[in-house]
Amino acid sequence: MMETYSSKVKQLVKEVLNIQRNKTGWTFWKNENAVDIYYKPSSYFNGNMYKFVTEIDGPHDMVYDVMKPPSSPEISMEWDKSIQSYELIKTISTDVFIGRVTTFPAVLGLISAREFLNLYVLKTFSDFSESTQINSKYGKVSWIFAESIALPESPETKDYVRVANYPGGFAIVENKNISETPQKAW
């Protein structure tokens, strides 16, 4: 089954890493709740794409496990209150799968409940410079790549607006100065 998705996976990873590596054009917008927010014109649509950067004082693997889409519906995504449900649609390999996310309506119903059917790719680089070309303060980087995908066996669901995601992702970067062992607070 992986052969069917192989070129899509390679293209998704390539496009997201190209966006991340291209440092030109990003404009700092604001800092909100210790998150730096940047934007620049999108090459995919008429509008802006956004980049969010923050530092979490916690072990890399623990943060990565929280950020990954769950492997089963029983595992909750409680950290993101906008998500109503998550459903694993198809497992292609241990690090490539398709999932469906639904969200609640927002802004008193002005924004409809939405659903996203995404191809997810999990990839860890052992050295931060392999994927990002930054300094040696950082170690491994684990990516969660995502992009909308069409599946005939997973049509749009009633009561939701199907939304298209362009190539994007999350990078969870190991800071070598933070211990991989959670610290006790007394």
Side-chain angles (χ1 to χ4, degrees):
M1 188 174 349
M2 183 60 187
E3 308 82 42
T4 307
Y5 296 95
S6 182
S7 63
K8 181 81 171 153
V9 166
K10 287 177 186 173
Q11 186 64 28
L12 171 58
V13 170
K14 179 182 174 184
E15 288 182 39
V16 174
L17 291 179
N18 284 341
I19 291 168
Q20 194 282 325
R21 288 177 181 139
N22 183 350
K23 305 296 182 206
T24 61
W26 289 105
T27 301
F28 177 78
W29 180 31
K30 65 181 177 177
N31 179 290
E32 190 169 308
N33 298 321
V35 177
D36 289 336
I37 305 170
Y38 301 85
Y39 69 93
K40 78 176 189 177
S42 173
S43 57
Y44 297 97
F45 58 90
N46 188 19
N48 292 321
M49 61 178 144
Y50 292 86
K51 175 170 65 171
F52 305 89
V53 179
T54 193
E55 191 166 306
I56 298 170
D57 187 17
H60 168 275
D61 292 347
M62 184 176 74
V63 174
Y64 185 47
D65 286 343
V66 168
M67 296 295 294
K68 287 189 287 191
S71 57
S72 71
E74 293 80 35
I75 300 173
S76 173
M77 296 183 76
E78 290 180 15
W79 63 270
D80 189 341
K81 300 297 182 198
S82 69
I83 294 178
Q84 184 177 25
S85 69
Y86 172 81
E87 178 185 3
L88 180 62
I89 301 294
K90 183 183 285 191
T91 300
I92 298 157
S93 71
T94 56
D95 57 351
V96 179
F97 50 95
I98 297 170
R100 180 178 165 270
V101 174
T102 60
T103 65
F104 295 102
V107 194
L108 301 173
L110 292 174
I111 299 175
S112 298
R114 294 160 290 155
E115 74 172 347
F116 303 83
L117 189 63
N118 289 324
L119 171 67
Y120 293 102
V121 179
L122 308 178
K123 186 168 178 63
T124 296
F125 296 89
S126 60
D127 180 343
F128 190 65
S129 62
E130 282 183 74
S131 69
T132 57
Q133 306 163 337
I134 301 281
N135 67 47
S136 61
K137 166 182 166 179
Y138 301 107
K140 65 185 171 185
V141 58
S142 297
W143 279 93
I144 303 162
F145 300 100
E147 182 178 22
S148 289
I149 191 164
L151 281 182
E153 65 267 27
S154 191
E156 192 171 327
T157 307
K158 183 180 182 287
D159 299 328
Y160 293 95
V161 175
R162 176 72 56 96
V163 179
N165 280 333
Y166 294 92
F170 295 100
I172 295 83
V173 181
E174 176 187 42
N175 182 335
K176 291 181 179 177
N177 297 324
I178 295 177
S179 171
E180 279 295 307
T181 306
Q183 302 299 307
K184 287 185 180 179
W186 297 103

